[in-house]
Amino acid sequence: MNKKVLKQTAVILLFLFALISFKLIINKISTSEEAEVEEIAEEPEIFFHGLSLSEYDTATLIIRSGDILPKALTRANIDEATAQRVSMLAMKYLRPAEIIPGQAIRVFVSRADSLPTYAVYEVNPAKKVVMRLTDSLYAYQELKQVETSQRTIGAIIQSSLYQDLVDQGVPATVVVRLADLYSWSIDFFKIQPNDSIKLIYEQRMVDDSIPMGTGRILAAVLYHKNKPHYGFYYRSADGAIDGYYNEQAEALRSFFLKAPLNFFRITSRYNLRRFHPVLKTTRPHLGTDYAAPHGTPIMTTADGTIEAMGYTAGNGNYVKVKHNQTYSTQYLHMSRFQPGLRVGSRVKQGDVIGYVGSTGLATGPHVCYRFWKNGKQVDPLSIDLPVAKPMDDKYKAEYLKTITRPRKQLDSYNIAPTAAQNESKPLASNQ
């Protein structure tokens, strides 16, 4: 009986051992399969514009100066006929002005047959044009939404309005527009260290992180000698008012610009007894010299008609503009004229009429700006000039209501000093 019990016990033990071993094997297989699945999951297939990179090799073309689209595509071993045909399809979504040196075209080459199959033209962060290069050719565009937000920034002026704002990260295009905004009311030559500027402008972004340019300046305040000079953009509902005004609803735009250049240095003022640096004699200087780099655009300071232009030994290349029966202005020593201008051409305030040079009797690049009132040359910096037409009373209440919020935003904004300003002697606040 004992032997029989022992035998049965042994059989049961063997059965249990086999069962346990079987379970261990199954678990091991399952674990192995899970590990394999996890390993595959760590290397997902990568797609670019819907194309699996596992199927293609890629190359990048850079648009060169003078390129047209077919010419650029042939550099990727795309035959001329295909490049021409697909370019015609792509130009449905492209303007010639959008083809700019430095842009990239990503070309996808099939690993199966080594043929260029797709090209993706990255026009800008918000726009790409995809081209199929084999079989049935086609092209389409991919667009991303461009979001516009407002950015408030400011700077304490130490070196120049331009440089100090650029050091704070303000795009150069915004600074130039800011100079335009104040060009009727502020003489930038008179801005001093410790003056300051604050502004609100539109910033365009893609994917919340990629800059896509800037829009208009919405509001600004320039503190000069402790006095604030506000400017607010306003467009009335009927479109009759569209421009910049101060906190009293007075137009920033005057009949004349303060100067014919955006950024300059006055080297010689109107002076009836100036020593001429070239002729080495004392003679009247009936203009104001604005020094600027060679090629700087020169603007007419008011609307008018070109009544004379040409070259003389003393004036060099010059343009004279008649504004009305009372006022005329003249611009001397240009390197060249703005193409398309001639005597009789109508020009508007701020139009470029030429470029800074040193032609005629000039020792360096500058523009000599001359000003006539009732046929007599006068100093424009010492006379009262006519102002622009004021805002109609029916728009004032709405305008003053509109600027309340941006004015508070400017007034409450604290300017962060740059690294260079932190290292220098602290400046007293002018606000």
Side-chain angles (χ1 to χ4, degrees), residues 178-196:
L178 183 70
D180 288 340
L181 188 158
Y182 281 114
S183 58
W184 294 279
S185 55
I186 298 293
D187 184 347
F188 285 101
F189 177 72
K190 295 180 180 178
I191 290 179
Q192 302 170 350
N194 212 28
D195 286 349
S196 62

Side-chain angles (χ1 to χ4, degrees), residues 145-388:
Q145 180 125 9
V146 179
E147 300 289 344
T148 300
S149 60
Q150 295 181 14
R151 186 185 182 200
T152 304
I153 194 69
I156 299 171
I157 299 169
Q158 287 196 328
S159 57
S160 71
L161 176 75
Y162 179 91
Q163 191 58 54
D164 290 320
L165 281 174
V166 168
D167 288 344
Q168 289 280 27
V170 179
T173 53
V174 173
V175 183
V176 171
R177 287 199 294 271
L178 183 70
D180 288 340
L181 188 158
Y182 281 114
S183 58
W184 294 279
S185 55
I186 298 293
D187 184 347
F188 285 101
F189 177 72
K190 295 180 180 178
I191 290 179
Q192 302 170 350
N194 212 28
D195 286 349
S196 62
I197 182 78
K198 302 177 186 179
L199 66 151
I200 305 169
Y201 67 92
E202 294 175 327
Q203 176 72 63
R204 299 192 180 104
M205 303 288 286
V206 174
D207 294 336
D208 297 325
S209 60
I210 305 173
M212 259 295 292
T214 57
R216 62 170 55 95
I217 294 171
L218 302 175
V221 57
L222 173 64
Y223 290 89
H224 174 52
K225 295 182 178 179
N226 293 323
K227 179 183 177 181
H229 298 266
Y230 288 95
F232 301 94
Y233 175 74
Y234 176 69
R235 188 177 191 279
S236 60
D238 59 7
I241 303 294
D242 190 350
Y244 289 92
Y245 297 82
N246 66 15
E247 69 275 27
Q248 277 89 40
E250 298 167 338
L252 293 191
R253 177 172 180 163
S254 298
F255 189 86
F256 283 96
L257 296 174
K258 284 287 185 179
L261 305 173
N262 272 336
F263 300 99
F264 54 83
R265 178 171 54 90
I266 294 179
T267 54
S268 181
R269 290 179 178 268
Y270 183 96
N271 186 347
L272 297 179
R273 293 188 55 80
R274 186 190 71 153
F275 181 78
H276 196 286
V278 177
L279 300 177
K280 307 298 182 184
T281 61
T282 299
R283 59 186 297 180
H285 183 242
L286 302 180
T288 303
D289 289 346
Y290 294 90
H294 187 94
T296 300
I298 299 169
M299 303 174 294
T300 179
T301 54
D303 295 357
T305 302
I306 295 179
E307 64 173 344
M309 64 185 297
Y311 178 89
T312 66
N315 294 342
N317 293 320
Y318 75 94
V319 171
K320 187 173 184 181
V321 179
K322 183 176 182 179
H323 303 292
N324 55 27
Q325 295 301 315
T326 303
Y327 298 102
S328 296
T329 55
Q330 191 178 27
Y331 313 79
L332 314 182
H333 311 304
M334 295 178 174
S335 60
R336 60 188 176 93
F337 304 115
Q338 177 73 352
L341 293 182
R342 62 184 183 276
V343 173
S345 294
R346 286 287 301 169
V347 290
K348 289 188 172 294
Q349 184 182 65
D351 283 353
V352 174
I353 55 174
Y355 300 85
V356 169
S358 52
T359 56
L361 290 178
T363 57
H366 73 284
V367 58
C368 179
Y369 176 55
R370 297 188 174 185
F371 197 95
W372 280 263
K373 181 178 181 180
N374 294 321
K376 180 182 178 181
Q377 284 191 252
V378 296
D379 180 4
L381 300 180
S382 65
I383 64 172
D384 292 328
L385 296 174
V387 298

